[in-house]
PDB file of all heavy atoms in Angstrom:
ATOM      1  N   MET A 621    -137.537 -23.511  54.980  1.00 97.00           N
ATOM      2  CA  MET A 621    -136.414 -24.048  55.713  1.00 97.00           C
ATOM      3  C   MET A 621    -136.596 -25.536  56.009  1.00 97.00           C
ATOM      4  O   MET A 621    -137.658 -25.938  56.521  1.00 97.00           O
ATOM      5  CB  MET A 621    -136.232 -23.300  57.017  1.00 97.00           C
ATOM      6  CG  MET A 621    -135.309 -22.121  56.938  1.00 97.00           C
ATOM      7  SD  MET A 621    -134.983 -21.411  58.551  1.00 97.00           S
ATOM      8  CE  MET A 621    -136.407 -20.334  58.738  1.00 97.00           C
ATOM      9  N   VAL A 622    -135.590 -26.321  55.701  1.00 97.00           N
ATOM     10  CA  VAL A 622    -135.545 -27.721  56.123  1.00 97.00           C
ATOM     11  C   VAL A 622    -134.149 -27.906  56.737  1.00 97.00           C
ATOM     12  O   VAL A 622    -133.334 -27.011  56.671  1.00 97.00           O
ATOM     13  CB  VAL A 622    -135.748 -28.702  54.933  1.00 97.00           C
ATOM     14  CG1 VAL A 622    -137.127 -28.589  54.347  1.00 97.00           C
ATOM     15  CG2 VAL A 622    -134.680 -28.499  53.869  1.00 97.00           C
ATOM     16  N   GLY A 623    -133.898 -29.061  57.309  1.00 95.00           N
ATOM     17  CA  GLY A 623    -132.534 -29.265  57.794  1.00 95.00           C
ATOM     18  C   GLY A 623    -132.404 -30.435  58.732  1.00 95.00           C
ATOM     19  O   GLY A 623    -133.419 -30.924  59.257  1.00 95.00           O
ATOM     20  N   HIS A 624    -131.137 -30.848  58.866  1.00 95.00           N
ATOM     21  CA  HIS A 624    -130.865 -31.944  59.808  1.00 95.00           C
ATOM     22  C   HIS A 624    -130.536 -31.285  61.141  1.00 95.00           C
ATOM     23  O   HIS A 624    -129.373 -31.155  61.547  1.00 95.00           O
ATOM     24  CB  HIS A 624    -129.696 -32.742  59.254  1.00 95.00           C
ATOM     25  CG  HIS A 624    -129.791 -33.051  57.784  1.00 95.00           C
ATOM     26  ND1 HIS A 624    -130.873 -33.670  57.236  1.00 95.00           N
ATOM     27  CD2 HIS A 624    -128.934 -32.775  56.742  1.00 95.00           C
ATOM     28  CE1 HIS A 624    -130.693 -33.793  55.913  1.00 95.00           C
ATOM     29  NE2 HIS A 624    -129.546 -33.251  55.588  1.00 95.00           N
ATOM     30  N   VAL A 625    -131.591 -30.794  61.782  1.00 95.00           N
ATOM     31  CA  VAL A 625    -131.379 -29.890  62.930  1.00 95.00           C
ATOM     32  C   VAL A 625    -130.789 -30.579  64.135  1.00 95.00           C
ATOM     33  O   VAL A 625    -130.251 -29.911  65.036  1.00 95.00           O
ATOM     34  CB  VAL A 625    -132.704 -29.191  63.333  1.00 95.00           C
ATOM     35  CG1 VAL A 625    -133.073 -28.067  62.373  1.00 95.00           C
ATOM     36  CG2 VAL A 625    -133.842 -30.159  63.467  1.00 95.00           C
ATOM     37  N   GLY A 626    -130.840 -31.902  64.181  1.00 95.00           N
ATOM     38  CA  GLY A 626    -130.149 -32.599  65.260  1.00 95.00           C
ATOM     39  C   GLY A 626    -128.657 -32.294  65.263  1.00 95.00           C
ATOM     40  O   GLY A 626    -127.995 -32.314  66.286  1.00 95.00           O
ATOM     41  N   ASP A 627    -128.128 -31.977  64.094  1.00 95.00           N
ATOM     42  CA  ASP A 627    -126.717 -31.574  63.968  1.00 95.00           C
ATOM     43  C   ASP A 627    -126.526 -30.085  64.053  1.00 95.00           C
ATOM     44  O   ASP A 627    -125.366 -29.609  63.965  1.00 95.00           O
ATOM     45  CB  ASP A 627    -126.115 -32.020  62.624  1.00 95.00           C
ATOM     46  CG  ASP A 627    -126.348 -33.474  62.326  1.00 95.00           C
ATOM     47  OD1 ASP A 627    -126.219 -34.270  63.291  1.00 95.00           O
ATOM     48  OD2 ASP A 627    -126.666 -33.838  61.162  1.00 95.00           O
ATOM     49  N   GLY A 628    -127.602 -29.327  64.105  1.00 96.00           N
ATOM     50  CA  GLY A 628    -127.508 -27.853  64.046  1.00 96.00           C
ATOM     51  C   GLY A 628    -127.511 -27.365  62.629  1.00 96.00           C
ATOM     52  O   GLY A 628    -127.184 -26.193  62.356  1.00 96.00           O
ATOM     53  N   SER A 629    -127.886 -28.222  61.672  1.00 96.00           N
ATOM     54  CA  SER A 629    -127.753 -27.905  60.243  1.00 96.00           C
ATOM     55  C   SER A 629    -129.073 -27.458  59.658  1.00 96.00           C
ATOM     56  O   SER A 629    -130.114 -28.100  59.860  1.00 96.00           O
ATOM     57  CB  SER A 629    -127.268 -29.217  59.608  1.00 96.00           C
ATOM     58  OG  SER A 629    -127.289 -29.197  58.239  1.00 96.00           O
ATOM     59  N   VAL A 630    -129.053 -26.319  58.951  1.00 97.00           N
ATOM     60  CA  VAL A 630    -130.290 -25.788  58.353  1.00 97.00           C
ATOM     61  C   VAL A 630    -130.058 -25.485  56.869  1.00 97.00           C
ATOM     62  O   VAL A 630    -129.034 -24.945  56.483  1.00 97.00           O
ATOM     63  CB  VAL A 630    -130.725 -24.467  59.057  1.00 97.00           C
ATOM     64  CG1 VAL A 630    -131.968 -23.863  58.375  1.00 97.00           C
ATOM     65  CG2 VAL A 630    -131.033 -24.728  60.523  1.00 97.00           C
ATOM     66  N   HIS A 631    -131.002 -25.879  56.028  1.00 97.00           N
ATOM     67  CA  HIS A 631    -130.976 -25.551  54.608  1.00 97.00           C
ATOM     68  C   HIS A 631    -132.059 -24.535  54.279  1.00 97.00           C
ATOM     69  O   HIS A 631    -133.231 -24.905  54.118  1.00 97.00           O
ATOM     70  CB  HIS A 631    -131.213 -26.807  53.742  1.00 97.00           C
ATOM     71  CG  HIS A 631    -130.217 -27.883  53.923  1.00 97.00           C
ATOM     72  ND1 HIS A 631    -128.869 -27.662  53.917  1.00 97.00           N
ATOM     73  CD2 HIS A 631    -130.381 -29.227  54.130  1.00 97.00           C
ATOM     74  CE1 HIS A 631    -128.240 -28.809  54.113  1.00 97.00           C
ATOM     75  NE2 HIS A 631    -129.124 -29.758  54.236  1.00 97.00           N
ATOM     76  N   PRO A 632    -131.717 -23.233  54.204  1.00 98.00           N
ATOM     77  CA  PRO A 632    -132.744 -22.277  53.771  1.00 98.00           C
ATOM     78  C   PRO A 632    -132.864 -22.378  52.240  1.00 98.00           C
ATOM     79  O   PRO A 632    -131.901 -22.194  51.548  1.00 98.00           O
ATOM     80  CB  PRO A 632    -132.119 -20.910  54.164  1.00 98.00           C
ATOM     81  CG  PRO A 632    -130.848 -21.174  54.858  1.00 98.00           C
ATOM     82  CD  PRO A 632    -130.448 -22.600  54.560  1.00 98.00           C
ATOM     83  N   GLN A 633    -134.064 -22.719  51.765  1.00 98.00           N
ATOM     84  CA  GLN A 633    -134.275 -22.832  50.329  1.00 98.00           C
ATOM     85  C   GLN A 633    -135.083 -21.608  49.920  1.00 98.00           C
ATOM     86  O   GLN A 633    -136.188 -21.384  50.399  1.00 98.00           O
ATOM     87  CB  GLN A 633    -135.063 -24.097  50.017  1.00 98.00           C
ATOM     88  CG  GLN A 633    -134.293 -25.350  50.398  1.00 98.00           C
ATOM     89  CD  GLN A 633    -135.144 -26.609  50.394  1.00 98.00           C
ATOM     90  OE1 GLN A 633    -136.354 -26.582  50.421  1.00 98.00           O
ATOM     91  NE2 GLN A 633    -134.482 -27.735  50.361  1.00 98.00           N
ATOM     92  N   ILE A 634    -134.486 -20.787  49.016  1.00 98.00           N
ATOM     93  CA  ILE A 634    -135.106 -19.532  48.640  1.00 98.00           C
ATOM     94  C   ILE A 634    -135.471 -19.575  47.176  1.00 98.00           C
ATOM     95  O   ILE A 634    -134.543 -19.537  46.317  1.00 98.00           O
ATOM     96  CB  ILE A 634    -134.184 -18.335  48.964  1.00 98.00           C
ATOM     97  CG1 ILE A 634    -133.803 -18.347  50.440  1.00 98.00           C
ATOM     98  CG2 ILE A 634    -134.859 -17.007  48.587  1.00 98.00           C
ATOM     99  CD1 ILE A 634    -132.912 -17.213  50.902  1.00 98.00           C
ATOM    100  N   PRO A 635    -136.738 -19.701  46.829  1.00 97.00           N
ATOM    101  CA  PRO A 635    -137.116 -19.668  45.397  1.00 97.00           C
ATOM    102  C   PRO A 635    -137.065 -18.222  44.892  1.00 97.00           C
ATOM    103  O   PRO A 635    -137.623 -17.349  45.564  1.00 97.00           O
ATOM    104  CB  PRO A 635    -138.555 -20.191  45.398  1.00 97.00           C
ATOM    105  CG  PRO A 635    -138.984 -20.330  46.810  1.00 97.00           C
ATOM    106  CD  PRO A 635    -137.890 -19.885  47.707  1.00 97.00           C
ATOM    107  N   ILE A 636    -136.383 -17.986  43.778  1.00 96.00           N
ATOM    108  CA  ILE A 636    -136.341 -16.619  43.244  1.00 96.00           C
ATOM    109  C   ILE A 636    -136.332 -16.661  41.708  1.00 96.00           C
ATOM    110  O   ILE A 636    -136.217 -17.715  41.119  1.00 96.00           O
ATOM    111  CB  ILE A 636    -135.120 -15.787  43.768  1.00 96.00           C
ATOM    112  CG1 ILE A 636    -133.809 -16.251  43.108  1.00 96.00           C
ATOM    113  CG2 ILE A 636    -134.958 -15.814  45.235  1.00 96.00           C
ATOM    114  CD1 ILE A 636    -132.732 -15.194  43.271  1.00 96.00           C
ATOM    115  N   ASP A 637    -136.413 -15.447  41.147  1.00 96.00           N
ATOM    116  CA  ASP A 637    -136.297 -15.292  39.706  1.00 96.00           C
ATOM    117  C   ASP A 637    -134.995 -14.558  39.445  1.00 96.00           C
ATOM    118  O   ASP A 637    -134.896 -13.363  39.749  1.00 96.00           O
ATOM    119  CB  ASP A 637    -137.488 -14.525  39.191  1.00 96.00           C
ATOM    120  CG  ASP A 637    -137.426 -14.331  37.659  1.00 96.00           C
ATOM    121  OD1 ASP A 637    -136.419 -14.753  37.075  1.00 96.00           O
ATOM    122  OD2 ASP A 637    -138.392 -13.750  37.115  1.00 96.00           O
ATOM    123  N   PHE A 638    -133.977 -15.233  38.925  1.00 94.00           N
ATOM    124  CA  PHE A 638    -132.700 -14.584  38.698  1.00 94.00           C
ATOM    125  C   PHE A 638    -132.790 -13.390  37.726  1.00 94.00           C
ATOM    126  O   PHE A 638    -131.912 -12.539  37.723  1.00 94.00           O
ATOM    127  CB  PHE A 638    -131.641 -15.568  38.192  1.00 94.00           C
ATOM    128  CG  PHE A 638    -131.045 -16.443  39.277  1.00 94.00           C
ATOM    129  CD1 PHE A 638    -130.216 -17.529  38.970  1.00 94.00           C
ATOM    130  CD2 PHE A 638    -131.289 -16.174  40.612  1.00 94.00           C
ATOM    131  CE1 PHE A 638    -129.666 -18.293  39.968  1.00 94.00           C
ATOM    132  CE2 PHE A 638    -130.735 -16.938  41.598  1.00 94.00           C
ATOM    133  CZ  PHE A 638    -129.937 -18.011  41.291  1.00 94.00           C
ATOM    134  N   ASN A 639    -133.823 -13.404  36.903  1.00 94.00           N
ATOM    135  CA  ASN A 639    -133.962 -12.278  35.944  1.00 94.00           C
ATOM    136  C   ASN A 639    -134.569 -11.040  36.588  1.00 94.00           C
ATOM    137  O   ASN A 639    -134.585  -9.971  36.014  1.00 94.00           O
ATOM    138  CB  ASN A 639    -134.853 -12.672  34.747  1.00 94.00           C
ATOM    139  CG  ASN A 639    -134.111 -13.687  33.907  1.00 94.00           C
ATOM    140  OD1 ASN A 639    -132.873 -13.596  33.762  1.00 94.00           O
ATOM    141  ND2 ASN A 639    -134.826 -14.669  33.367  1.00 94.00           N
ATOM    142  N   ASN A 640    -135.095 -11.208  37.769  1.00 96.00           N
ATOM    143  CA  ASN A 640    -135.653 -10.093  38.535  1.00 96.00           C
ATOM    144  C   ASN A 640    -134.488  -9.432  39.313  1.00 96.00           C
ATOM    145  O   ASN A 640    -134.048  -9.969  40.350  1.00 96.00           O
ATOM    146  CB  ASN A 640    -136.755 -10.577  39.460  1.00 96.00           C
ATOM    147  CG  ASN A 640    -137.360  -9.444  40.281  1.00 96.00           C
ATOM    148  OD1 ASN A 640    -136.722  -8.425  40.563  1.00 96.00           O
ATOM    149  ND2 ASN A 640    -138.583  -9.657  40.700  1.00 96.00           N
ATOM    150  N   LYS A 641    -133.969  -8.312  38.790  1.00 96.00           N
ATOM    151  CA  LYS A 641    -132.708  -7.743  39.337  1.00 96.00           C
ATOM    152  C   LYS A 641    -132.831  -7.389  40.819  1.00 96.00           C
ATOM    153  O   LYS A 641    -131.935  -7.621  41.620  1.00 96.00           O
ATOM    154  CB  LYS A 641    -132.315  -6.503  38.516  1.00 96.00           C
ATOM    155  CG  LYS A 641    -131.799  -6.879  37.147  1.00 96.00           C
ATOM    156  CD  LYS A 641    -130.923  -5.747  36.603  1.00 96.00           C
ATOM    157  CE  LYS A 641    -130.231  -6.159  35.322  1.00 96.00           C
ATOM    158  NZ  LYS A 641    -130.972  -5.899  34.089  1.00 96.00           N
ATOM    159  N   GLU A 642    -133.985  -6.817  41.162  1.00 97.00           N
ATOM    160  CA  GLU A 642    -134.215  -6.390  42.538  1.00 97.00           C
ATOM    161  C   GLU A 642    -134.183  -7.617  43.478  1.00 97.00           C
ATOM    162  O   GLU A 642    -133.513  -7.622  44.503  1.00 97.00           O
ATOM    163  CB  GLU A 642    -135.591  -5.688  42.605  1.00 97.00           C
ATOM    164  CG  GLU A 642    -135.988  -5.095  43.945  1.00 97.00           C
ATOM    165  CD  GLU A 642    -135.107  -3.921  44.358  1.00 97.00           C
ATOM    166  OE1 GLU A 642    -134.388  -3.366  43.503  1.00 97.00           O
ATOM    167  OE2 GLU A 642    -135.137  -3.607  45.577  1.00 97.00           O
ATOM    168  N   GLU A 643    -134.896  -8.668  43.051  1.00 97.00           N
ATOM    169  CA  GLU A 643    -134.985  -9.845  43.870  1.00 97.00           C
ATOM    170  C   GLU A 643    -133.627 -10.510  44.006  1.00 97.00           C
ATOM    171  O   GLU A 643    -133.228 -10.969  45.117  1.00 97.00           O
ATOM    172  CB  GLU A 643    -135.980 -10.810  43.212  1.00 97.00           C
ATOM    173  CG  GLU A 643    -136.461 -11.920  44.151  1.00 97.00           C
ATOM    174  CD  GLU A 643    -137.618 -12.711  43.569  1.00 97.00           C
ATOM    175  OE1 GLU A 643    -137.474 -13.250  42.436  1.00 97.00           O
ATOM    176  OE2 GLU A 643    -138.642 -12.810  44.245  1.00 97.00           O
ATOM    177  N   TYR A 644    -132.861 -10.534  42.911  1.00 96.00           N
ATOM    178  CA  TYR A 644    -131.536 -11.151  42.938  1.00 96.00           C
ATOM    179  C   TYR A 644    -130.602 -10.400  43.881  1.00 96.00           C
ATOM    180  O   TYR A 644    -129.876 -11.014  44.672  1.00 96.00           O
ATOM    181  CB  TYR A 644    -130.951 -11.198  41.519  1.00 96.00           C
ATOM    182  CG  TYR A 644    -129.655 -11.943  41.456  1.00 96.00           C
ATOM    183  CD1 TYR A 644    -129.617 -13.297  41.630  1.00 96.00           C
ATOM    184  CD2 TYR A 644    -128.456 -11.260  41.225  1.00 96.00           C
ATOM    185  CE1 TYR A 644    -128.425 -13.984  41.608  1.00 96.00           C
ATOM    186  CE2 TYR A 644    -127.251 -11.959  41.197  1.00 96.00           C
ATOM    187  CZ  TYR A 644    -127.245 -13.327  41.394  1.00 96.00           C
ATOM    188  OH  TYR A 644    -126.049 -14.014  41.366  1.00 96.00           O
ATOM    189  N   LYS A 645    -130.708  -9.037  43.813  1.00 97.00           N
ATOM    190  CA  LYS A 645    -129.852  -8.231  44.693  1.00 97.00           C
ATOM    191  C   LYS A 645    -130.207  -8.505  46.158  1.00 97.00           C
ATOM    192  O   LYS A 645    -129.331  -8.732  47.012  1.00 97.00           O
ATOM    193  CB  LYS A 645    -130.112  -6.719  44.374  1.00 97.00           C
ATOM    194  CG  LYS A 645    -129.085  -5.808  44.988  1.00 97.00           C
ATOM    195  CD  LYS A 645    -129.312  -4.374  44.596  1.00 97.00           C
ATOM    196  CE  LYS A 645    -129.662  -3.570  45.806  1.00 97.00           C
ATOM    197  NZ  LYS A 645    -130.475  -2.398  45.592  1.00 97.00           N
ATOM    198  N   ASN A 646    -131.502  -8.577  46.411  1.00 98.00           N
ATOM    199  CA  ASN A 646    -131.959  -8.884  47.806  1.00 98.00           C
ATOM    200  C   ASN A 646    -131.487 -10.267  48.251  1.00 98.00           C
ATOM    201  O   ASN A 646    -131.078 -10.454  49.416  1.00 98.00           O
ATOM    202  CB  ASN A 646    -133.484  -8.812  47.886  1.00 98.00           C
ATOM    203  CG  ASN A 646    -133.966  -7.366  47.918  1.00 98.00           C
ATOM    204  OD1 ASN A 646    -133.164  -6.452  48.170  1.00 98.00           O
ATOM    205  ND2 ASN A 646    -135.229  -7.141  47.642  1.00 98.00           N
TER     206      ASN A 646
END
Side-chain angles (χ1 to χ4, degrees):
M621 269 187 276
V622 295
H624 315 305
V625 284
D627 307 319
S629 171
V630 176
H631 300 312
Q633 297 168 341
I634 304 181
I636 73 163
D637 179 357
F638 281 171
N639 290 325
N640 179 333
K641 287 203 173 88
E642 183 67 16
E643 197 170 54
Y644 185 69
K645 192 177 117 206
N646 283 343

